[in-house]
Amino acid sequence: MSETKQHPCETCKLRAEAEANPKTFKARLWRWHTKICPGWKSYQRSLAQPK
């Protein structure tokens, strides 16, 4: 039984708002945040792995 761990990035409110309105300040803040966030980088690696 392997239980897949859900990353907080999947349900992040800031991410959802940034994707809905990409020209807002929140979207710019989100894009900046993804450059330094180790959690986001881990989430991206987990998406790239074959299941």
Side-chain angles (χ1 to χ4, degrees), residues 1-48:
M1 275 191 263
S2 72
E3 193 174 309
T4 58
K5 182 179 176 186
Q6 183 179 20
H7 286 270
C9 301
E10 292 182 59
T11 58
C12 178
K13 185 177 177 182
L14 180 60
R15 176 185 176 200
E17 291 177 11
E19 289 178 352
N21 300 305
K23 293 185 179 187
T24 62
F25 174 75
K26 284 185 179 183
R28 289 193 310 249
L29 179 64
W30 172 254
R31 286 190 298 273
W32 170 80
H33 174 79
T34 61
K35 290 177 178 38
I36 63 169
C37 179
W40 177 255
K41 292 174 184 177
S42 171
Y43 175 59
Q44 291 300 304
R45 281 192 303 270
S46 73
L47 291 176

